[in-house]
Each structure stands twice: as structure tokens, then as C-alpha cells.
Amino acid sequence: MQTITDIKNLTVQSLPPILVLTGEDVGQFEWLKKEISKNIGYDPSDLNYSYFDMKEASYVDVELDLVSLPFFADEKIVILDHLLDLTTAKKRYLTDEELKQFESYLERPSESTRLVIFAEGKLDSKRRLVKLLKRDAQIIEAATPKEQDLKRYFSSQAQEMGLQFVGDALDQLLLKSGYDFGDLQKNLAFLKAYKEDGQIRLEDIEEAVPKTLQDNIFDLTQMILQRRIDQARALVKDLRLQGEDEIKLIAILLSQFRMFSQVKIFSEEGQSESQIVTSLSELSGRKINPYQVKFALRDSRRISLAFLKQAMMILIETDYAIKNGSYDKDYLFDLALLKVANAV
């Protein structure tokens, strides 16, 4: 977790002339952004700080602020948020001419301005703007950490908070949080408030950490595969009471079975786990969470491609029937669960 170490001692005094925070791990990115803002003492009422949301700001105003002298100090800090023009995202906020003007500024930045850039996503290394920043700026990347690094970091965080995980409780917290940095931060804080004695056991994780829809769909999938139909129907009933729609449930189930199929095919072709992550990311056009692949590989081993193909066809046909209004959607969804279970 080098990124956290990089900002731990960051202050106004140690802030480099240009600092860029980027990365595809959304939870970690948002946490790092808050920490950086806190560490440099950002205060919207302080005239030595200027904040621009690039989704709304005019570049004319940004450039004027970049080159103007500070009023009450020797230096001022300019923050550019959501500068997606640096990333591979299709969204752009600056025109080609404005990008050239910004490049010109970066080649000769003001000595009295400290520039902080928040650009969520993956930096586009082909852009001249990014090449300039890689040459002259300090870049902090919120990259998806390895499982062991994540476990080590949150184990340390727990100790600082006076929490002690008993047995496999930490592993269960990681699993229930989807190995997501942001969710782990929130759930750790929740457990701190939940258990006054600081002893966190497996049952505490199950009772205190709320299940996500993805958790419930995972449970539903396991029930179907194990033909525990009564339990599956009871879970679906609970999800309906929570306001979840059958169309949405089908979409997530389809996504899960599709992931099983893809990793199984790539695995049978001889691809390693990391190669499968790369292949799926290229196929989908977005960064695939490595932990999704890890668990999909584990859970798909005992499932045949023939079953997965049949299960997806059943769900697709059910989705069509529900949207077409052929029968009651509750009946159609329950029937689909039975068909998929019987196909195992």
C-alpha cells in the first residue's frame, strides 16, 4: 500500500509543485482524495486555496488562477478535480485548444502555485499532457492492491483502532466487503462502533456487516447450484420485499453466469489468473476486479460449460417473457430458478 505511505506525511510544506492523484480503485481513490485534502489543509473559505470542478469550470478561469499571484501568502494551492482529460475515459471537459494552453502552462508552471490534480481512472499515456506530468509531477495511483497487501494494511488499521480479529474473521470481512478498499474502511468503522470490547468474531461479521445485493445473488446462485429451492425462493421473497425487481435480479444472475463461462473458457485455454483479468478487461472495455476472477475460477470448477449455456438461455428467455408480459413475473422468475436448478 505504497500510495498510503506516500501521503501519510504530506503537508502544505512538503506538497510538490504538481501532485496528481489517479487510479481505477474507486474506493481507495476517494479515500486518498479526502486524505490529501485534509493533509494539505484545504479550506474552501481560505483564499490561498482555489478549487475547480472540471465538469463545470471554465478553463479561462482556471488558467487565470494558475498564473495569478497569491494574495496573502508566498504560495497558493490550486485544485483541479475530475480532470478526466488526462485519462482513458471517453468524457472530455477541455477543448483541443484548451489542452494545448494547459500543456503550455505545465511546461512553464508558476513558481508561486502548487497544483493538485484529481483524475479518477487510468492515465492515458499516449497524451502529451500525461507525458509532461509523468516527467515533472509526483503521481500517486490508487491501484487495486494485492490480496495480501490489503489484508496486511487492514490488519494494521484494526490494531490502531483497538480491534482484534479472532480466527478467520478478517478474511470474512474482506470477502463480505468484496475486497473493496472503500467498503472495508466503512465496515471497519462500523465494527468499531458495534463491538465495544474490540473482539471481532465470525458471527460479528455476519450479524453486523450488511449484505450487499451481490452477496445475496451469490448466496442465491449457490442455493440454485445445490438445488436448495425452498431457501432460494425464501431469499428471492426477501429481496422482493426490499424492493428488488426480477429484471434486475436476472441481469445480475446473467452477469455472474457469464463471468463463470468466460473464466472457464480462458482457463481451459491455458491462461493464468492474471491473463484472464487482462483478457476480460480488454473484452469488456473496463477494468475487471481481480478478485471477481479469483472467486469465479474457484466457483466455476465444478460447473460445466453446457450447464452455464443452458442456464443463461433460461434466464434470457425469462427476461424476454417478463418484459413481454406473457405471465406474472413472480411466477416466471420462480419457474426459471427451478429450470436452472434441474439443469445442474
Side-chain angles (χ1 to χ4, degrees):
M1 307 294 287
Q2 185 60 42
T3 51
I4 296 174
T5 304
D6 289 340
I7 69 162
K8 192 171 184 180
N9 299 316
L10 183 68
T11 63
V12 174
Q13 291 73 27
S14 64
L15 184 65
I18 305 175
L19 177 69
V20 179
L21 172 64
T22 186
E24 298 177 273
D25 187 325
V26 178
Q28 186 183 167
F29 179 90
E30 291 299 327
W31 183 83
L32 288 169
K33 184 162 80 169
K34 290 178 182 177
E35 287 298 299
I36 289 172
S37 299
K38 181 176 71 176
N39 289 356
I40 64 175
Y42 170 63
D43 182 351
S45 65
D46 190 332
L47 296 180
N48 287 317
Y49 295 85
S50 297
Y51 171 88
F52 295 95
D53 183 339
M54 298 308 293
K55 292 186 290 187
E56 303 172 352
S58 163
Y59 182 72
V60 174
D61 296 334
V62 172
E63 187 174 44
L64 181 62
D65 214 291
L66 286 170
V67 300
S68 62
L69 294 173
F71 289 107
F72 306 111
D74 295 330
E75 295 180 329
K76 65 177 180 179
I77 297 174
V78 176
I79 300 172
L80 306 184
D81 200 1
H82 305 299
L83 187 54
L84 299 186
D85 300 78
L86 303 178
T87 72
T88 56
K90 295 181 180 179
K91 190 68 177 178
R92 292 284 181 266
Y93 299 118
L94 301 180
T95 65
D96 290 342
E97 182 59 34
E98 289 170 341
L99 286 172
K100 289 179 182 178
Q101 292 173 19
F102 190 38
E103 288 173 6
S104 298
Y105 171 79
L106 291 176
E107 288 176 337
R108 294 179 296 276
S110 171
E111 293 183 359
S112 61
T113 298
R114 301 284 173 179
L115 176 60
V116 178
I117 298 173
F118 297 133
E120 58 271 34
K122 182 180 180 180
L123 290 181
D124 188 347
S125 299
K126 297 178 182 179
R127 303 184 73 86
R128 185 169 182 273
L129 196 57
V130 173
K131 291 177 181 178
L132 286 172
L133 289 169
K134 285 188 173 181
R135 185 190 70 186
D136 299 329
Q138 178 182 345
I139 296 179
I140 297 175
E141 183 181 4
T144 303
K146 295 179 180 179
E147 181 178 346
Q148 289 304 313
D149 291 339
L150 200 65
K151 185 175 181 178
R152 192 180 302 113
Y153 173 75
F154 279 99
S155 177
S156 174
Q157 283 289 99
Q159 288 180 1
E160 291 181 14
M161 297 169 67
L163 298 176
Q164 182 179 353
F165 288 95
V166 178
D168 296 328
L170 178 56
D171 290 321
Q172 185 64 13
L173 177 63
L174 290 166
L175 183 61
K176 285 205 69 175
S177 302
Y179 291 85
D180 180 87
F181 187 94
D183 287 343
L184 279 163
Q185 286 281 357
K186 289 185 287 187
N187 289 335
L188 203 61
F190 187 75
L191 286 168
K192 170 69 175 175
Y194 177 77
K195 285 300 291 289
E196 293 183 1
D197 64 3
Q199 297 290 309
I200 309 299
R201 297 174 174 79
L202 278 172
E203 53 266 30
D204 298 320
I205 305 294
E206 293 301 322
E207 291 175 8
V209 178
K211 278 194 172 185
T212 64
L213 179 57
Q214 288 288 353
D215 290 332
N216 285 315
I217 294 297
F218 174 80
D219 291 343
L220 179 61
T221 304
Q222 298 304 309
M223 292 172 186
I224 294 171
L225 295 177
Q226 295 166 19
R227 296 185 178 182
R228 291 184 281 139
I229 299 302
D230 288 342
Q231 290 175 271
R233 293 182 67 182
L235 177 54
V236 170
K237 183 179 179 180
D238 289 341
L239 292 173
R240 285 171 178 151
L241 291 173
Q242 294 171 24
E244 301 297 349
D245 182 76
E246 282 80 4
I247 296 295
K248 184 177 180 181
L249 298 179
I250 288 174
I252 299 175
L253 278 170
L254 265 173
S255 176
Q256 193 157 24
F257 283 131
R258 189 180 300 114
M259 172 69 80
F260 285 173
S261 301
Q262 290 169 331
V263 300
K264 199 169 185 66
I265 290 169
F266 285 131
S267 178
E268 290 178 356
E269 289 177 352
Q271 292 194 26
S272 66
E273 190 173 312
S274 61
Q275 288 173 325
I276 293 174
V277 172
T278 302
S279 297
L280 287 176
S281 297
E282 292 174 353
L283 190 66
S284 63
R286 61 181 178 84
K287 177 69 174 176
I288 296 294
N289 189 322
Y291 301 112
Q292 284 183 281
V293 173
K294 181 183 181 71
F295 293 120
L297 277 169
R298 181 196 66 188
D299 296 329
S300 65
R301 285 195 183 100
R302 66 182 188 277
I303 307 172
S304 69
L305 279 173
F307 160 73
L308 290 169
K309 180 180 179 180
Q310 187 176 356
M312 287 189 287
M313 285 303 301
I314 292 169
L315 291 170
I316 291 170
E317 290 168 358
T318 303
D319 180 75
Y320 176 79
I322 290 175
K323 291 176 179 176
N324 201 37
S326 302
Y327 292 96
D328 179 76
K329 61 181 181 179
D330 290 4
Y331 165 76
L332 288 170
F333 187 78
D334 288 347
L335 182 62
L337 296 184
L338 285 170
K339 287 181 178 179
V340 173
N342 288 329
V344 176

